[in-house]
Amino acid sequence: MRCTVLTVSRSQGIGSGLTYDPGNLSVKPGSFVQVPLRNKIVDGIVLDVLQDHEKEEYDVKSIKEIFGESPLLTESQIKTVRWMADYYCCTVRAALSVWLPSPPWAALLPKVVTLWKLSNTKSIDQIKGKKQIAVLEFLESSDAVTAATIQEETGATLTTLKTLEERGFVSQIKKREEVDQTLPSIKITEPTLTELQQNAYDSIRSQQLPSLLFGITGSGKTEVYAKLIADTIREGKQAILLVPEILLTENCIDRFRRLLNAERIAVVHSKLTPTERREIWKNIHRGAISLVIGSRSALFASLQHLGLVILDEEHEWTYKNEQTPRYHARETAEALCRFSKARLVLGSATPSLESWSRAKAGLYHLARLPERYKNQPLPSVRIIDLADVSFGQLYPFSPPLIKAMEERLERKEQSVLFLNRRGIATALLCLNCRRRVVSPESQLPFTVHERRDGSQILVDHSTGLTAQAPSMCPHCKSPNLRAVGAGTQRIEHIVAKLFPKARILRADSDTLTKPEEMRELLDTMKRGDADILLGTQSVVKGLDLPNVTLAAVVLADVGLSLPHFRAGERVFQLLTQLVGRSGRSKPGEVIIQTFRPEAEEILRASRHEVEPYLEQELRLRLHTGYPPAVSMIRYIVRGNQPKHDAEALAASILLKAKDQNQSHVKVSFGPTLMSGGKEWHVLVRGLRKGFLDIPLEGKQIVTDVDPLDCI
Ligand code: ADP
Ligand code: ZN
């Protein structure tokens, strides 16, 4: 027999494992072992076990030891690790790194305990001491036990045991604590579904395929998840619920604490300390947990009986890891569920084009929730063209928005304002032709910065180029130029001035760093102790607050100006999510302020036309040859001559494509947006996977398969 072992050491060239002889140790894929490597003994994980093998030319070393009753990873998890390495073009070691807490892995094993047992019974009458006799009598009638048990039973301390050991009456043995892996019966508070929810649930249950649960905001997708989770647990299995943002996790955990005992729920996220990670890992591994909730990395939780994976808000970009291994949680969950025979459910009000196209192609089952809970109507949406508004000091607040906020204050209802991302810089926009002033070097919009004396300067962050702000538009010569954009702090300032009596809450990554802070903010809103919530879009878009009847998007243009094929999709998703925040219990209103009132994304989102938007966008991608119509790979090139290396890489890819008669392959390259020219990238579209075999060694090139970000 032979097995492949991935060692913990970082030696180059063995990132996919080495061959060892297991001898008569009963190893399995995922087993934690120790093996000899260059005069040292190192930790390793078994990747596979081969029954038959050819006689090797070289000397195969033996596995030295195996630890733990059960492997650290299940066979399905190991298969997923290998799938990740293959699909995302990284080493198996890189792929494995996200599945286990950082070494030493011995810390993941159950504790070693010292037990005492009788070793000599013949000459017991030599003993005089009462305590010593009591110990020996007790041990005569029991198995090996801990010193603590002995003390409890006889009152004898460790000193007595040591004396008896010296005289040869008792001896110590070391053993790993036994772990009870049987799942206990768990009390579940069964969710009650509406008829529509029941239909969606039934159709998902009857499927083998992954399901896309396409349900509008407020339709109760969470209830369907809860019911599916309840089933899974009742069947003696375990579930994972992935959510896009750790801050938003708090919001939904409460729902699941009502479903089952909080002790059987683990919340995992990237902010845990190494010790916390290990403790949670061990807890999950021994079966003490039935439901894992967390951000993308929770997919790698140590569940041994996986029955269900749910990705809530599956369209969210946070599901993509932007470091090696550059995995997407959706595709990886698909692989894991396939190998584990577990159910996969993707939920969204605005599905990604990827999932939508798969549902259309019959690769996913499509389940719909077309109505809000209790048939609550969707809010009415007003679009306000900011170019028509003459602002004074109050930019970017238009009179209709100010009036709507006033009304809420009078009616004691709440408003939520969505702002651009914190600190996002402003661009210089022509109010006449609606174009932005772009940098001649990168063709990207200039960022406007304010000097201390109040004058404006333009900065191109991709190249470092600076320029004086022009007095008229370079395209149409109109003098009507405006610096657009709005940061959270400035907005708070204006709102406070407009409504001095209003109680204002601000939620952005400056004010929120811990999940508990998010919970407190939600409680404040729910208690009615605040009137206006200002927040960055990423923080506020998932909220379920009953007394909010006005949701306003202060400036719905961010992202539209970026030269990115997903920019429109992203704005559409964001607006639809934001529209969904208003009127969840009472009739609501939404105001979208924008400089581009005619943009497809904005019009469709304001009319709640999700499906028509998706269909149209999908046609556009097919027509222009972008994902998901074709595959895409991005090579990120760093090092001391990134431009040269990127050019060379692009040329060799084109050459190879031509060689193989793949004339449809498209290659482009350039500096990345924020790198100042220190990083270049090569974008390849239309490749069949596996065709490309360009040697990348020796150069600082990162491969990003299915990139989300490509600017
Ligand atoms: P979604 O995630 O689809 O936007 P939610 O799951 O947040 O919607 O549900 C919206 C609101 O309706 C929540 O406050 C939820 O508690 C309530 N709700 C939905 N379905 C039910 C149900 N079957 N029973 C009780 N409340 C429900
Ligand atoms: Zn112009």
Side-chain angles (χ1 to χ4, degrees), residues 430 432-435 473 475-478:
C430 169
N432 182 38
C433 70
R434 311 271 170 123
R435 282 198 270 188
C473 170
H475 307 287
C476 74
K477 312 286 177 232
S478 156

Side-chain angles (χ1 to χ4, degrees), residues 468-678:
Q468 288 299 324
S471 55
M472 56 186 186
C473 170
H475 307 287
C476 74
K477 312 286 177 232
S478 156
N480 215 354
L481 294 174
R482 177 182 288 281
V484 294
T488 26
Q489 279 178 349
R490 207 177 95 80
I491 296 281
E492 185 175 11
H493 204 68
I494 298 174
V495 175
K497 220 163 61 186
L498 275 169
F499 309 110
K501 293 219 180 89
R503 294 160 303 171
I504 303 168
L505 280 183
R506 184 159 70 110
D508 58 31
S509 38
D510 282 339
T511 59
L512 292 176
T513 50
K514 290 193 230 96
E516 303 84 70
E517 289 165 349
M518 183 73 189
R519 169 185 292 250
E520 199 176 309
L521 184 135
L522 291 178
D523 287 345
T524 310
M525 283 297 280
K526 283 188 181 154
R527 279 197 312 266
D529 288 346
D531 305 303
I532 300 170
L533 173 62
L534 305 174
T536 46
Q537 292 152 343
S538 66
V539 174
V540 188
K541 66 190 169 195
L543 302 185
D544 181 16
L545 297 168
N547 202 31
V548 171
T549 59
L550 172 68
V553 186
V554 175
L555 186 55
D557 291 69
V558 178
L560 282 177
S561 59
L562 295 176
H564 193 307
F565 73 95
R566 291 187 208 268
E569 178 188 5
R570 199 172 197 179
V571 171
F572 178 79
Q573 287 165 347
L574 205 56
L575 290 182
T576 306
Q577 294 294 337
L578 302 187
V579 166
R581 294 318 111 202
S582 177
R584 288 170 80 92
S585 311
K586 300 176 191 170
E589 185 188 16
V590 172
I591 291 178
I592 299 177
Q593 301 196 126
T594 177
F595 284 103
R596 299 193 39 192
E598 300 300 323
E600 197 69 35
E601 300 77 25
I602 291 176
L603 285 177
R604 295 276 193 193
S606 74
R607 296 182 198 139
H608 317 292
E609 293 174 352
V610 178
E611 198 164 338
Y613 176 78
L614 291 172
E615 287 296 317
Q616 180 183 349
E617 182 67 18
L618 195 57
R619 276 198 299 277
L620 193 68
R621 303 274 179 94
L622 268 168
H623 186 70
T624 51
Y626 275 98
V630 300
S631 67
M632 186 158 171
I633 297 184
R634 177 193 193 211
Y635 296 95
I636 303 160
V637 185
R638 298 182 186 128
N640 45 22
Q641 43 176 11
K643 180 167 186 266
H644 172 272
D645 288 350
E647 277 168 0
L649 178 62
S652 62
I653 292 169
L654 273 176
L655 203 67
K656 205 137 197 172
K658 208 171 143 217
D659 266 4
Q660 302 189 7
N661 285 327
Q662 298 213 44
S663 51
H664 56 277
V665 171
K666 293 201 173 64
V667 180
S668 60
F669 59 92
T672 57
L673 184 61
M674 294 306 224
S675 71
K678 292 200 182 71

